């Protein structure tokens, strides 16, 4: 009998598998058609089918919530709406159904949920019915085809349907996939009479050319050379004069921010396709370009939580503001896929290290703990923007894909035996490459406990290697085999290799000493620090703050030394008990500045929470915490209650003395005026108001001063009306579309001729539209008021 690897060669990290046997029951029909084209490059680590691993700890609870409270509850009619009645609610509406098919199929294989399988069958069949006669399966009207996001939608439909076919064995959608592929081949190319794919979508062609990934899959699945030829065309298109120069830039400049327009999600999607192409044909330059991208991101462009990008773009080295549409969940998921692909291809633990870091922090931080909702931008401070509606949110269908992929790489196999990449309680039922059955039973409360016990149960006594990953943060690791110490030194691949003859019931015990670490801020976080504990990034949460302190900006860490924190783990209170091992972390702190009842510098204690749980109750949270007392600058508005005309989608603050923390009024709709205000508990005499601009975006973020500079208004009592007392001096001659060189965090002053007693202060003006006239918004980093002119 052939092994699963022999019958089904390696598939994409997004959807398929290499080197394992599916553990089939009657609920899981065997895939009926193997790839017709074998891979030129064999994976070092195998992509596990999701039913091989069932996790029951913290990670397992998030996987279960993803399936039970999100994927199975989505209404197929919403997913199919844009296809049944084109053009749909939004220009990218077509991507949701393919993403859902991908995630839901993986989740169904993991759980065997019959309700989810029924919904899968229905959705796949109904999507197929929406294909037009020429093969088009997008949501655009014919006159608008190939202008924005319909190549992109074809990408996700191919990924979703191929994943569905491969795992269910139902090949009914195959003709649909062929017709999609054939339409793309007929439409785009560098031959006379064909369209330029670079012009068929957004971001210097990065969006449409990311169809590279499923077209490689379609080639391997069908054996049709024209699909591979199309992939070669994409490589040529990248290097056209109007192309994003993906491979050439990464081989020479070696910076992702110089590729195309630096759009992170689309670029990583292209790179995942490039790795599939490398796996298929063996072009080493492609692999090297991807490795250069990975090295650049890790060294220069990665947030402490594993997020990558702000404003959806890669920026200059260490340009990592805490708020500015930071941490797009679509980027997080494609970064997970990218690391999982490189882990399979190289077998190196450094990629598993990144996977643990981004999964336990940024991915779970974007997922509402019950799995029902997701955040679009999940930043280093602010409020988690959880939503359960697909409207306006591409990330709500991306996040579940990231969670559904975890069982494919957490515990796996390689040429030598088995590999443990992530640690969670559960059971893995694996087949070695020689077809030997091996069960691994993991007993742990990690990351709440440093002990991990692995019971190894081969079907018979067998010599092979069990590889364990010692986390990079761990300075004191112990490995025991059947009670005896084993050398915990990692090999060249980054794993501790335990090679021996295993018999049923043998045990490995790992001890990864959990210790706090203080990370001092640099670049844009000078004067601040973050706290880590084991694999977790911690954050301050307003939900756990003493009532004497009105905001997180009121507290600080006492000194830039770890010993000054006296960090102590405690069981989480009920409102944050998101799993049985949930913890909070008590640390010593100080009052950053004086309040009515507490002098500045007063010692106190606060509790930090894992970033994954921070803001779960809708409260403010903050990763980077100031160190030491705030300088007394006389700002009367500190600790006042801030407000603005529209909530917007950036959760910073305008009265925290932090110019990197800002807010916007963006809600993707127009407005005649926007304002930013701070209200005091008691009126104060004001002579000078300072407004600090937030950030300038391509679609707005500033005030349009063509009909007048932004005005300063005050409210003298709670019942009083707002009255104008001045305008912002020196504000540039902006228009709705031109920011007139306005700089991020640029300050503008309004000096009053005489003191004005005010309970509240606001700046108000007409918001700008930038390059999108269908909406308008403004931004603000700081609003301050002083008694001195």
């Amino acid at each position: 009998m052939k092994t699963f690897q022999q019958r089904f060669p390696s598939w994409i990290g997004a959807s398929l598998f290499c080197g394992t046997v599916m553990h089939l029951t009657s609920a899981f029909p065997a895939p009926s058609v193997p790839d017709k084209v074998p891979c030129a490059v064999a994976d070092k680590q195998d992509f596990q089918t999701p039913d091989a691993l069932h996790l029951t700890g913290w990670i397992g609870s998030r996987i279960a919530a993803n399936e039970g409270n999100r994927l199975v509850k989505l209404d197929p009619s919403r997913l199919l709406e844009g296809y049944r009645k084109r053009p749909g609610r939004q220009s990218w509406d077509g991507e949701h159904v393919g993403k859902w098919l991908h995630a839901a199929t993986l989740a169904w294989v993991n759980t065997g949920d019959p309700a989810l399988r029924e919904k899968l069958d229905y959705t796949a069949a109904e999507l197929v019915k929406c294909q037009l006669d020429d093969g088009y399966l997008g949501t655009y009207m014919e006159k608008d085809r190939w202008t924005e996001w319909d190549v992109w939608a074809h990408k996700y439909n191919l990924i979703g349907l191929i994943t569905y076919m491969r795992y269910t064995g139902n090949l009914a959608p195959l003709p649909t996939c062929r017709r999609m592929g054939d339409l793309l081949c007929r439409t785009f190319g560098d031959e006379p009479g064909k369209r330029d794919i670079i012009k068929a979508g957004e971001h210097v062609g990065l969006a449409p050319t990311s169809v590279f990934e499923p077209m490689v899959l379609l080639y391997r699945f069908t054996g049709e050379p024209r699909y591979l030829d199309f992939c070669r065309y994409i490589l040529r298109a990248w290097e056209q004069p109007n192309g994003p120069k993906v491979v050439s830039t990464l081989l020479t400049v070696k910076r992702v921010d110089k590729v195309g327009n630096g759009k992170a999600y689309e670029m990583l999607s292209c790179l995942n396709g490039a790795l599939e192409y490398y796996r298929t044909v063996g072009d080493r330059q492609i692999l090297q370009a991807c490795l250069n991208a990975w090295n650049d991101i890790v060294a220069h462009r990665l947030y402490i939580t594993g997020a990558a990008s702000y404003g959806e773009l890669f920026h200059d080295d260490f340009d990592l503001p805490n708020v500015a549409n930071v941490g797009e969940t679509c980027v997080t998921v494609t970064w997970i896929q990218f690391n999982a692909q490189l882990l399979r291809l190289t077998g190196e633990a450094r990629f598993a290290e990144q996977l643990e870091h981004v999964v336990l922090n940024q991915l779970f931080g974007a997922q509402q703990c019950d799995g029902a909702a997701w955040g679009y931008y999940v930043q280093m401070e602010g409020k988690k923007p959880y939503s359960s509606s697909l409207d306006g949110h591409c990330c709500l269908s991306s996040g579940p894909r990231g969670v559904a992929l975890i069982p494919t790489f957490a515990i796996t196999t390689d040429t030598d035996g088995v590999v443990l990449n992530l640690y969670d309680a559960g059971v893995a039922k694996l087949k070695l490459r020689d077809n030997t059955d091996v069960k691994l039973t993991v007993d742990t409360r990690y990351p709440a406990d440093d002990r991990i016990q692995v019971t190894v149960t081969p079907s018979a006594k067998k010599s092979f290697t069990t590889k364990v990953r010692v986390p990079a943060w761990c300075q004191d690791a112990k490995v025991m085999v059947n009670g005896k110490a084993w050398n915990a030194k990692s090999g060249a691949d980054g794993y501790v290799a335990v090679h021996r003859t295993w018999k049923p019931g043998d045990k490995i015990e790992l001890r990864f000493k959990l210790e706090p670490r203080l990370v001092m801020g640099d670049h844009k976080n000078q004067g601040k620090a973050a706290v880590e504990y084991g694999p977790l990034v911690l954050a301050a949460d307003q939900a756990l703050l003493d009532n004497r302190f009105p905001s997180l900006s009121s507290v600080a860490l006492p000194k830039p030394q770890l010993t000054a924190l006296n960090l102590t783990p405690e069981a989480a209170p009920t409102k944050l008990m998101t799993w049985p091992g949930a913890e909070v972390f008590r640390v010593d702190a100080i009052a950053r500045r004086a309040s009515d009842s507490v002098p500045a510098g007063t010692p106190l204690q606060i509790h930090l929470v894992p970033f994954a749980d921070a803001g779960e109750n809708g409260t403010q949270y903050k990763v980077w915490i100031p160190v030491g007392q705030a300088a007394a600058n006389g700002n009367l508005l500190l600790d006042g209650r801030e407000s603005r005309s529209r909530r917007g989608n950036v959760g910073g603050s305008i009265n925290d003395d932090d110019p990197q923390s800002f807010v916007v009024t963006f809600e993707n709709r127009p407005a005649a005026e926007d304002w930013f205000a701070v209200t005091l508990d008691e009126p104060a005499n004001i002579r000078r108001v300072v407004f600090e601009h937030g950030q300038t975006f391509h679609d707005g973020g500033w005030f349009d001063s063509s009909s007048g500079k932004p005005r300063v208004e005050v409210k003298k009592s709670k019942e009083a009306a707002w009255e104008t007392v001045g305008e912002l001096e020196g504000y540039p001659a902006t228009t709705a579309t031109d920011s007139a060189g306005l700089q991020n965090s640029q300050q503008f002053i309004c000096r009053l001729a005489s003191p004005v007693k005010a309970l509240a202060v606001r700046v108000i003006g007409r918001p700008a539209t930038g390059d999108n006239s269908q909406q308008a918004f403004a931004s603000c980093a700081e609003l301050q008021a002083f008694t001195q002119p």
Side-chain angles (χ1 to χ4, degrees):
M1 177 180 176
K2 291 184 178 180
T3 67
F4 196 74
Q5 182 186 15
Q6 290 169 324
R7 289 186 289 126
F8 301 101
S10 162
W11 275 73
I12 181 177
S15 53
L16 301 167
F17 41 80
C18 173
T20 63
V21 173
M22 292 183 74
H23 301 281
L24 303 172
T25 69
S26 59
F28 301 102
S32 56
V33 180
D35 281 342
K36 292 186 176 180
V37 179
C39 293
V41 178
D43 283 341
K44 297 289 181 66
Q45 285 190 21
D46 299 319
F47 183 93
Q48 292 297 318
T49 52
D51 67 321
L53 180 63
H54 293 94
L55 300 175
T56 57
W58 183 40
I59 297 176
S61 71
R62 291 300 191 103
I63 293 172
N66 186 51
E67 192 269 349
N69 289 334
R70 183 65 188 168
L71 292 170
V72 78
K73 291 186 177 180
L74 268 178
D75 181 1
S77 65
R78 173 64 187 93
L79 297 170
L80 295 162
E81 178 185 282
Y83 292 91
R84 288 171 167 169
K85 189 177 180 180
R86 293 177 171 91
R89 303 188 191 187
Q90 53 213 14
S91 59
W92 64 91
D93 214 37
E95 72 182 49
H96 293 304
V97 66
K99 289 179 175 181
W100 181 86
L101 282 168
H102 171 231
T105 300
L106 295 176
W108 166 72
V109 176
N110 183 250
T111 66
D113 183 351
L116 186 55
R117 174 59 194 270
E118 181 180 359
K119 191 167 285 191
L120 275 167
D121 291 341
Y122 172 80
T123 304
E126 290 297 305
L127 177 62
V128 166
K129 292 178 183 177
C130 296
Q131 189 172 41
L132 301 182
D133 291 342
D134 64 355
Y136 183 81
L137 193 54
T139 60
Y140 284 64
M141 305 301 288
E142 186 169 0
K143 65 181 179 63
D144 299 320
R145 283 189 189 181
W146 317 127
T147 55
E148 289 184 283
W149 295 101
D150 43 356
V151 179
W152 179 262
H154 284 75
K155 172 188 76 170
Y156 278 115
N157 286 335
L158 283 167
I159 287 174
L161 289 172
I162 290 172
T163 307
Y164 170 81
M165 289 189 294
R166 180 61 82 175
Y167 283 110
T168 65
N170 178 7
L171 298 184
L174 182 56
T176 299
C177 293
R178 285 180 178 271
R179 287 194 293 268
M180 278 192 281
D182 292 344
L183 176 63
L184 293 170
C185 291
R186 290 196 311 271
T187 303
F188 301 104
D190 42 22
E191 302 95 338
K194 290 189 175 182
R195 289 175 176 263
D196 180 358
I197 196 170
I198 299 298
K199 298 178 181 178
E202 303 290 331
H203 307 299
V204 199
L206 288 171
T209 58
S210 66
V211 76
F212 195 13
E213 184 180 23
M215 289 299 282
V216 176
L217 301 185
L218 195 59
Y219 163 66
R220 288 212 303 259
F221 191 46
T222 64
E224 294 289 350
R226 61 182 176 276
Y227 301 142
L228 183 61
D229 290 341
F230 185 83
C231 295
R232 293 183 177 127
Y233 160 63
I234 287 178
L235 289 172
R236 296 194 301 273
W238 281 350
E239 304 305 323
Q240 291 174 185
N242 65 335
K245 312 294 191 301
V246 177
V247 176
S248 61
T249 300
L250 292 175
L251 288 175
T252 55
V253 183
K254 302 179 182 180
R255 290 179 57 145
V256 292
D257 61 318
K258 303 303 181 184
V259 173
N261 65 347
K263 188 64 163 61
Y265 174 24
E266 287 76 3
M267 188 191 309
L268 286 169
S269 298
C270 288
L271 295 180
N272 284 323
L275 288 173
E276 276 304 333
Y277 182 81
Y278 164 70
R279 181 179 282 115
T280 303
V281 304
D283 184 342
R284 288 286 305 181
Q285 277 202 324
I286 299 293
L287 176 63
Q288 189 59 56
C290 292
L291 289 171
N292 290 349
W294 185 89
N295 287 328
D296 179 51
I297 292 169
V298 171
H300 304 118
R301 276 162 258 288
L302 206 60
Y303 281 85
I304 191 172
T305 59
S309 83
Y310 74 86
E312 304 189 5
L313 303 173
F314 290 120
H315 295 266
D316 201 3
D317 292 1
F318 309 113
D319 183 4
L320 300 168
N322 293 321
V323 291
N325 291 348
V326 169
E328 183 190 9
T329 296
C330 291
V331 178
T332 299
V333 172
T334 44
W335 175 240
I336 287 170
Q337 291 176 284
F338 192 47
N339 279 279
Q341 285 272 29
L342 289 168
L343 178 62
R344 289 168 56 199
L345 286 164
T346 68
E348 296 176 10
R350 57 179 173 153
F351 304 112
E353 187 74 28
Q354 290 299 325
L355 284 167
E356 179 182 67
H357 188 67
V358 67
V359 166
L360 298 192
N361 294 291
Q362 188 65 31
L363 181 69
F364 287 173
Q367 181 194 33
Q368 190 168 286
C369 293
D370 66 1
W374 283 83
Y376 194 143
Y377 303 116
V378 181
Q379 311 193 100
M380 299 304 101
E381 60 184 62
K383 292 185 178 182
K384 297 279 181 74
Y386 293 131
S387 173
S388 59
S389 170
L390 295 178
D391 295 351
H393 291 277
C394 54
C395 295
L396 268 70
S397 53
S398 287
R401 301 174 66 218
V403 176
L405 280 166
I406 294 171
T408 68
F409 56 75
I411 301 178
T412 187
T413 50
D414 66 3
T415 302
D416 301 320
V418 300
V419 187
L420 286 89
N421 287 314
L422 303 186
Y423 298 104
D424 196 46
V427 176
K429 295 181 180 179
L430 309 171
K431 276 193 181 290
L432 303 183
R433 291 190 178 179
D434 67 1
N435 222 30
T436 299
D437 289 316
V438 177
K439 182 172 77 171
L440 301 181
T441 304
V442 182
D443 179 20
T444 186
R445 292 176 72 251
Y446 182 88
D449 192 352
D450 65 1
R451 174 183 171 275
I452 303 164
Q453 181 176 277
V454 183
T455 302
V456 182
T457 308
S459 55
K461 188 181 290 188
K462 176 75 175 177
S463 179
F464 60 91
T465 301
T466 298
K467 294 180 180 177
V468 298
R469 180 183 61 84
V470 175
W473 53 262
C474 181
Q475 301 301 306
D476 184 4
K478 293 181 173 59
V479 180
M480 308 282 286
V481 179
N482 291 335
K484 295 182 180 179
W486 190 276
N487 186 352
K489 183 178 180 180
S490 298
D493 60 2
Y495 293 95
V496 175
V498 183
H499 181 79
R500 65 191 300 274
T501 298
W502 298 92
K503 63 182 185 300
D506 282 345
K507 297 185 187 305
I508 302 173
E509 183 169 304
L510 308 173
R511 292 275 183 172
F512 300 147
K513 188 176 181 181
L514 297 170
E515 295 180 303
R517 300 179 304 286
L518 187 67
V519 182
M520 294 306 302
D522 53 17
H523 305 288
K524 294 189 174 184
N525 281 309
Q526 290 279 359
K528 302 177 184 178
V531 183
E532 297 177 315
Y533 184 80
L536 302 176
V537 175
L538 306 183
D541 192 322
Q542 183 76 37
L544 299 177
L545 200 60
D546 190 311
N547 289 334
R548 295 176 297 169
F549 301 97
S551 71
L552 293 174
S553 60
S554 304
V555 299
L557 301 179
K559 295 179 181 178
Q561 288 96 33
L562 178 63
T563 54
L565 300 184
N566 293 316
L567 184 144
T568 304
E570 299 176 350
T574 301
K575 60 185 173 183
L576 289 174
M577 185 58 70
T578 58
W579 69 290
E583 292 181 316
V584 296
F585 302 85
R586 188 178 74 246
V587 297
D588 289 345
I590 60 170
R592 185 170 177 239
R593 49 180 174 254
S595 67
D596 291 341
S597 59
V598 181
T602 299
L604 57 117
Q605 290 186 326
I606 62 173
H607 286 86
L608 307 180
V609 299
F611 181 77
D613 296 335
E616 171 68 13
N617 296 297
T619 48
Q620 294 275 347
Y621 65 91
K622 181 178 289 191
V623 171
W624 291 99
I625 304 170
V627 177
Q629 291 179 222
N633 65 2
N635 178 14
L636 301 170
L637 302 185
L638 282 174
D639 295 332
R641 297 182 302 281
E642 61 182 277
S643 58
R644 52 190 178 271
S645 53
R646 295 182 287 171
R647 179 177 177 180
N649 63 346
V650 174
S653 175
I654 64 172
N655 65 337
D656 60 355
D657 276 348
D658 182 359
Q660 301 303 323
S661 172
F662 67 94
V663 300
V664 301
T665 56
F666 177 82
E667 290 186 346
N668 202 29
R669 58 183 175 85
E673 288 187 314
D674 272 325
W675 52 263
F676 304 92
V678 176
T679 302
L680 301 172
D681 291 330
E682 300 290 340
N685 287 318
I686 291 172
R687 284 289 303 274
R688 175 167 50 101
V689 175
V690 177
F691 173 85
E692 191 167 301
H693 169 64
Q695 290 209 6
T696 300
F697 298 87
H698 69 93
D699 53 354
W702 64 93
F703 286 115
D704 171 7
S705 65
S706 58
S707 58
K709 295 181 185 296
R711 308 186 306 279
V712 175
E713 298 184 340
V714 300
K715 203 178 210 185
K716 295 181 177 179
S717 66
K718 187 176 180 180
E719 295 78 19
W722 289 100
E723 56 183 272
T724 300
V725 295
E727 62 181 27
L728 296 182
E729 303 163 13
Y731 199 86
T734 58
T735 68
T737 58
D738 183 4
S739 64
L742 190 62
Q743 299 297 306
N744 294 343
S745 303
Q746 188 171 346
Q747 289 188 346
F748 302 96
I749 298 173
C750 174
R751 291 181 173 86
L752 307 181
S754 59
V756 173
K757 198 162 194 176
L759 181 68
V761 179
R762 76 177 182 181
V763 170
I764 184 170
R766 184 177 183 84
T769 64
D771 60 10
N772 182 1
S773 61
Q774 302 304 307
Q775 56 80 55
F777 71 99
S779 67
C780 175
E782 289 291 315
L783 184 58
Q784 302 172 333
F786 302 89
T787 58
Q788 299 300 317

